[in-house]
Amino acid sequence: MLAGKRILLLVAGGIAAYKSLDLIRRLRERGASVRVVLTASGAKFVTPLSLAALSGDKVYGDLFSLTDESEMGHIRLSREADLLVVAPATANILARMAQGLASDLATTVLLATDKPVLAAPSMNTRMWEHPATRANIATLMSRGTLFVGPGAGNLACGEVGDGRLADVMDIVAAIESYFSASAPLAGKRALVTSGPTFEAIDPVRFIGNRSSGKQGHAIAAALARLGADTTLVSGPVAEPDPAGVRVVHIESAREMLEACQAALPADVAVCAAAVADWRVRDAAGQKMKKGASGTPSLDLVENPDILATLSAAGNARPRLVVGFAAETENVIANAQAKRAKKNCDWIVANDVSANAGVFGGDENTVHLISANGVEDWPRMAKDAVADQLAQRIRDHLSKVA
Ligand code: C5P
């Protein structure tokens, strides 16, 4: 859910500061990276060592540290974050934020940032209800600061009432909902196929191919990062399951088709798998033995074409269907013919001739073929191809919404 998100956590000085340790764990479990800025009073409640151990990063605290500033300037702290989270947000730090004070590293970063800020207030009830705090909260809200909590309950000071830091899981939920609401493909469903298929000859042998799944997996990850509810149907690959993606592992083309149909409806389908064109008509139930009957011949039948089937799915057809064309010659002409034959919307064509180094490699040179013509993309990392394609899918879906 939070895969790849970068959170800058600003920990101020309240008794609830110890809960920031759990917050860091929960965020990292969900795939986010967390960098911590600790105020001087925060350091009275929780140690930099614990925060560094849990965040897996150095903890920043001193605005005037020459080493910190040369390693990671206060502007970079904000620039390298997707969201700033102030937890616990004490009455004091909220007042300084409302005033625009830059009296330490935390408030300087908060003043210098153009990134969204989410605050989780935590303080004594009377402080929370004080007109000064009410006015500060109103000011911050009017400037767009997001808030989660506080909750009501027993406070560490022995009083009962509002002012309790929101539960850690509620803070996590607020962070998740911020990212899903701001994600450009939020509410959209994506289906991606990736990897080879294995077609059984007998229980130990199969027909397969050299697809690594790198490109398809990268596309599923890129769509998920943009907020799409993404299902990846993958043949056998060495690539790990991408974070934030629902992965269905299959072996044969027929299993892949079944899994794709089960994943519909979808707004976009990207068929990046190298599906075997043929399978053995009757795979042997037992291991075939070398011996008297001579060299066996394989009786092959054609596999279903998943891309063509999805493109012809009538009402269930995804609004955008994208195929791949791996070609060794006449790359563009063959890909254009494939687009027409399979009735898909776009074809991503790439040259997989032996000297192109595409199979198993980390880079790809592709051409995007659509009704509008051919676009030649420069040679890029497969991850960058995936990001570009995901952006184009986003643009397209927002136009035909
Ligand atoms: O016909 P060819 O295999 O070259 O077409 C490649 C495109 O068609 C790819 O997008 C691939 O994922 C898809 N395909 C498919 N099912 C097949 C064969 C190819 O989805 N049986």
Side-chain angles (χ1 to χ4, degrees):
M1 184 68 208
L2 293 175
K5 301 294 182 218
R6 301 162 306 169
I7 300 197
L8 185 65
L9 177 65
L10 302 113
V11 179
I15 186 68
Y18 74 94
K19 293 188 185 168
S20 60
L21 298 172
D22 194 28
L23 178 60
I24 295 169
R25 284 188 49 214
R26 303 291 163 210
L27 293 173
R28 292 194 68 200
E29 272 168 16
R30 284 161 180 74
S33 63
V34 183
R35 185 172 270 159
V36 179
V37 173
L38 181 64
T39 66
S41 44
K44 305 275 186 210
F45 293 91
V46 61
T47 70
L49 191 58
S50 315
L51 291 163
L54 285 167
S55 67
D57 198 350
K58 181 175 171 173
V59 171
Y60 296 84
D62 185 356
L63 180 59
F64 300 108
S65 156
L66 276 178
T67 348
D68 284 7
E69 200 56 29
S70 61
E71 278 173 12
M72 170 69 63
H74 60 278
I75 302 293
R76 230 175 98 198
L77 282 168
S78 137
R79 196 183 297 139
E80 292 186 1
D82 300 308
L83 176 70
L84 275 58
V85 176
V86 190
T90 57
N92 178 280
I93 200 164
L94 290 168
R96 292 190 289 149
M97 286 162 71
Q99 288 299 310
L101 296 182
S103 46
D104 61 3
L105 181 62
T107 47
T108 304
V109 170
L110 285 161
L111 191 63
T113 192
D114 57 356
K115 299 294 170 63
V117 178
L118 172 74
S122 166
M123 66 198 75
N124 164 276
T125 303
R126 287 173 211 288
M127 291 165 90
W128 175 248
E129 285 169 357
H130 194 285
T133 304
R134 310 278 10 109
N136 290 334
I137 299 284
T139 303
L140 290 169
M141 276 187 168
S142 72
R143 291 186 196 140
T145 302
L146 305 165
F147 285 90
V148 50
N154 294 324
L155 301 177
C157 52
E159 293 185 14
V160 179
D162 282 343
R164 204 162 176 269
L165 182 73
D167 284 346
V168 166
M169 291 316 293
D170 289 338
I171 302 177
V172 171
I175 293 170
E176 285 180 335
S177 86
Y178 164 75
F179 281 115
S180 61
S182 67
L185 286 178
K188 299 281 191 291
R189 288 168 60 94
L191 167 63
V192 181
T193 70
S194 182
T197 61
F198 283 2
E199 310 295 334
I201 297 173
D202 67 16
V204 294
R205 303 183 181 91
F206 58 85
I207 301 173
N209 62 67
R210 296 184 194 281
S211 169
S212 65
K214 281 186 181 169
Q215 187 65 81
H217 278 53
I219 291 166
L223 290 167
R225 273 197 299 276
L226 293 186
D229 175 353
T230 306
T231 302
L232 171 64
V233 181
S234 172
V237 291
E239 287 291 294
D241 289 354
V245 171
R246 190 180 310 106
V247 186
V248 184
H249 295 276
I250 52 81
E251 290 218 329
S252 69
R254 285 186 296 176
E255 288 166 1
M256 182 172 272
L257 177 61
E258 205 177 299
C260 287
Q261 285 169 327
L264 295 177
D267 297 278
V268 56
V270 181
C271 294
V275 184
D277 291 317
W278 303 281
R279 68 174 182 278
V280 176
R281 184 184 300 277
D282 293 306
Q286 304 296 328
K287 184 181 172 191
M288 291 159 67
K289 293 285 184 200
K290 200 160 53 172
S293 51
T295 307
S297 57
L298 297 177
D299 183 12
L300 300 180
V301 286
E302 206 166 307
N303 264 328
D305 191 306
I306 297 161
L307 175 62
T309 309
L310 293 174
S311 298
N315 284 345
R317 186 193 195 275
R319 273 191 283 156
L320 180 63
V321 181
V322 185
F324 271 68
E327 302 288 345
T328 54
E329 56 184 355
N330 299 331
V331 177
I332 306 287
N334 285 339
Q336 278 167 327
K338 197 159 290 175
R339 176 174 170 271
K341 184 169 148 232
K342 302 206 182 195
N343 195 27
C344 61
D345 302 293
W346 298 352
I347 285 272
V348 180
N350 56 354
D351 184 349
V352 292
S353 55
N355 55 5
V358 170
F359 276 127
D362 289 324
E363 291 197 328
N364 212 347
T365 310
V366 305
H367 314 271
L368 181 64
I369 293 161
S370 69
N372 300 332
V374 179
E375 274 180 37
D376 301 318
W377 290 7
R379 188 171 180 83
M380 285 188 268
K382 287 183 176 172
D383 284 343
V385 170
D387 280 326
Q388 286 292 332
L389 188 65
Q391 296 290 344
R392 301 303 288 269
I393 289 170
R394 181 202 63 179
D395 294 347
H396 182 83
L397 291 182
S398 65
K399 267 186 240 138
V400 293

